[in-house]
Amino acid sequence: MTADTPARDGVDPKVLKTALILVVGALAVVFDTTIVSVALHRLATSLDVPVSTIQWVTTGYMLALGAAVPLSTWALTRFGGKRVWMFALTVFLAGSVGSSLAWDAGSLIGWRVLQGLGGGLMLPVMTTLIMQAAGGHALGRTMTWVALPGLLGPILGPLVGGAIITDFSWRFMFWVNVPFCVAGLILAGRYLAKDTPDAAAARPRLDVWGLVLLVPGIVAVLLGLSDAGAAGFGRPGVLAPLAIGVAFLIAFTVHALRRRDPLVDVRLLAARSVGSSTAVLFLSGFSLFGAMLLLPLYYQEVRGVTALTAGLMLVPQGIGALLSRQIAGPLTDRIGAQSIAIVGFVVVAAATVPFAFVDATSDGWLLALWLLIRGVGLGAVTMPVMTASYVGLARAEIGHASVLTRIAQQVGGSFGTAVLAVVLEQAVAGDGPGAVVAGFHVAFWWATGFSLLATALCVWLPGIKQVRAAAAAASAAPPQPVKSGKSSV
């Protein structure tokens, strides 16, 4: 491949094979998150506990998910990608089976935390292994496979979850994960490249102080943000964990800058590709993930539909994201992420505006069309921005970039959801039958504004010159051998 023809190169068949193997297992994590989100009321009733208690089924899972992410880079270097992937998938499988057999709310929350620990390792490990296999070539096309679970989950998860809750026991929600986990383990064990580190090589030491500072910092911030969505940002129960979390994150940053081999190399944020992508992914949480809170609530609270029906009505958005996925990947390889992401955020903003005027009688088919368009914009944002974070990185830096972008996406999503939840709660506080509708109008205007703000940040993303320079460097670099044993990709 030359710098002038980066888009002509497709995804290497070996890279594609690696991606397909990993995507099978990763689908369990994405489906699990979206399925359980529609079942909290049913779980509270079945286990005879208040919603405030059962909410920890989701909160505990998300906290564990965030806590495990920083360990992925060290674990990959210490044990090898295949071992870490299969270990994480096994942990997630055990948590799924345990959740299905839970005897009360406390045991269900405990098993969900175990699930989160496995899932938190799986997601950055999947991204790192696929992008390392790509070796800097056809990153946009490669990222379409990395993003596939995240695109399918919001489409199928609520539908499957709603159907199970309507016709079956809630325990079947967690058995949905089992086939994906078992198939993922079999495929990984048989076909994934063996990359066990050389026994004679020096073993990387775990940055214990980094772990002590970073993990509690992430957990505290996520905990504060999860409570802020229901209680607002002014309460001590929200401000205290947020302040503690930020203090720990600042301390970790200082520590990481002084250490040669930190748990997560924050120095990568100085690189344009990583720094710009991390900032855009954080801010995109306000416009993308925050709006995902508003849309199902609008259908349920304003239009009065069930959770299953609300999930069906959101399907067009997922379809739009899948459609644009086929275009955004190759285009990113050709012209870079900058212009694609700008157009994507503009489309997202434009397709959100109609929801700032809707009421209970708005044409459902017209809203479905706007959701389809909004989905096209979402697909044109997430993949190019994620791809941009790996432009020009060395193989050893990819794992750190995966962790940084994953943390930014998760914290930004939680922050955006909390902000729009507070905006919505304050906006619907008025009297009269139209207060709820007017409140949603205000919240959707805020989501539109955040999309436009993210558009401005996209100017910082790598453009075509950076993409071509990175492609030329990747082509000139000698191939990096990957140790393989009995099984190989």
Side-chain angles (χ1 to χ4, degrees):
M1 182 177 67
T2 67
D4 297 327
T5 59
R8 296 177 193 170
D9 285 349
V11 179
D12 189 301
K14 293 182 179 180
V15 178
L16 179 59
K17 191 173 183 179
T18 300
L20 289 173
I21 292 169
L22 298 175
V23 163
V24 170
L27 283 172
V29 181
V30 179
F31 278 134
D32 180 87
T33 303
T34 52
I35 287 174
V36 175
S37 65
V38 302
L40 293 181
H41 180 73
R42 171 70 177 276
L43 288 173
T45 302
S46 299
L47 297 174
D48 194 25
V49 293
V51 175
S52 59
T53 298
I54 210 65
Q55 181 67 35
W56 279 93
V57 169
T58 298
T59 303
Y61 174 83
M62 295 304 296
L63 294 180
L65 201 74
V69 167
L71 281 169
S72 62
T73 303
W74 170 80
L76 282 169
T77 308
R78 174 66 178 81
F79 301 105
K82 182 173 182 176
R83 283 184 175 181
V84 175
W85 175 256
M86 295 186 70
F87 170 78
L89 195 51
T90 301
V91 170
F92 191 86
L93 173 60
S96 299
V97 174
S99 296
S100 70
L101 302 175
W103 51 93
D104 57 18
S107 62
L108 177 58
I109 293 169
W111 286 114
R112 288 284 288 165
V113 168
L114 184 65
Q115 271 188 303
L117 293 173
L121 277 176
M122 287 171 62
L123 296 177
V125 167
M126 177 191 71
T127 305
T128 300
L129 291 181
I130 295 176
M131 300 309 287
Q132 283 182 341
H137 299 283
L139 294 182
R141 290 175 174 85
T142 304
M143 185 57 69
T144 62
W145 293 100
V146 176
L148 183 59
L151 295 175
L152 288 177
I155 300 175
L156 300 178
L159 299 182
V160 175
I164 291 174
I165 290 302
T166 302
D167 299 319
F168 301 97
S169 167
W170 59 267
R171 298 181 185 274
F172 284 96
M173 290 190 305
F174 301 104
W175 284 105
V176 172
N177 305 328
V178 173
F180 291 106
C181 292
V182 173
L185 285 170
I186 293 173
L187 290 172
R190 178 67 181 86
Y191 298 109
L192 198 61
K194 185 179 180 182
D195 57 352
T196 305
D198 189 346
R203 297 182 177 182
R205 296 178 58 185
L206 177 63
D207 179 10
V208 177
W209 277 110
L211 186 67
V212 169
L213 293 172
L214 182 57
V215 171
I218 294 173
V219 170
V221 168
L222 293 176
L223 179 61
L225 292 174
S226 67
D227 291 339
F233 285 92
R235 296 184 58 181
V238 173
L239 290 176
L242 283 178
I244 293 172
V246 170
F248 268 80
L249 293 179
I250 293 173
F252 170 77
T253 301
V254 174
H255 164 80
L257 290 174
R258 294 177 175 177
R259 187 180 173 96
R260 187 177 61 180
D261 54 344
L263 186 67
V264 179
D265 191 357
V266 297
R267 287 180 288 262
L268 278 178
L269 293 174
R272 176 177 176 177
S273 57
V274 181
S276 61
S277 300
T278 302
V280 173
L281 285 171
F282 176 83
L283 188 57
S284 69
F286 289 76
S287 57
L288 307 185
F289 296 97
M292 288 304 295
L293 164 76
L294 300 178
L295 289 168
L297 284 178
Y298 158 73
Y299 280 110
Q300 293 179 68
E301 295 189 14
V302 177
R303 302 181 76 94
V305 304
T306 64
L308 177 58
T309 303
L312 285 169
M313 290 180 170
L314 292 177
V315 167
Q317 181 171 253
I319 293 175
L322 277 175
L323 292 175
S324 63
R325 162 184 174 269
Q326 302 298 328
I327 302 173
L331 272 180
T332 302
D333 290 332
R334 183 182 296 275
I335 64 174
Q338 186 184 84
S339 55
I340 301 174
I342 290 174
V343 172
F345 272 117
V346 170
V347 171
V348 170
T352 305
V353 169
F355 288 89
F357 298 95
V358 295
D359 55 28
T361 62
S362 298
D363 188 336
W365 288 106
L366 184 58
L367 293 182
L369 176 60
W370 283 114
L371 283 174
L372 179 69
I373 296 172
R374 192 174 192 277
V376 170
L378 290 176
V381 167
T382 52
M383 283 184 298
V385 176
M386 288 293 292
T387 302
S389 63
Y390 300 100
V391 171
L393 295 187
R395 181 182 178 87
E397 296 172 329
I398 291 176
H400 293 279
S402 297
V403 172
L404 289 169
T405 53
R406 182 67 60 180
I407 292 174
Q409 195 172 29
Q410 188 169 0
V411 174
S414 298
F415 203 179
T417 300
V419 168
L420 288 182
V422 171
V423 169
L424 179 62
E425 182 180 5
Q426 294 180 348
V428 301
D431 297 327
V436 174
V437 174
F440 274 96
H441 291 174
V442 172
F444 278 119
W445 276 120
W446 275 75
T448 302
F450 285 131
S451 296
L452 294 176
L453 183 58
T455 304
L457 270 182
C458 288
V459 177
W460 189 19
L461 291 170
I464 181 59
K465 292 182 179 180
Q466 290 76 27
V467 170
R468 289 182 172 177
S475 297
Q480 297 177 342
V482 178
K483 294 183 180 181
S484 60
K486 180 179 179 181
S487 302
S488 63
V489 175

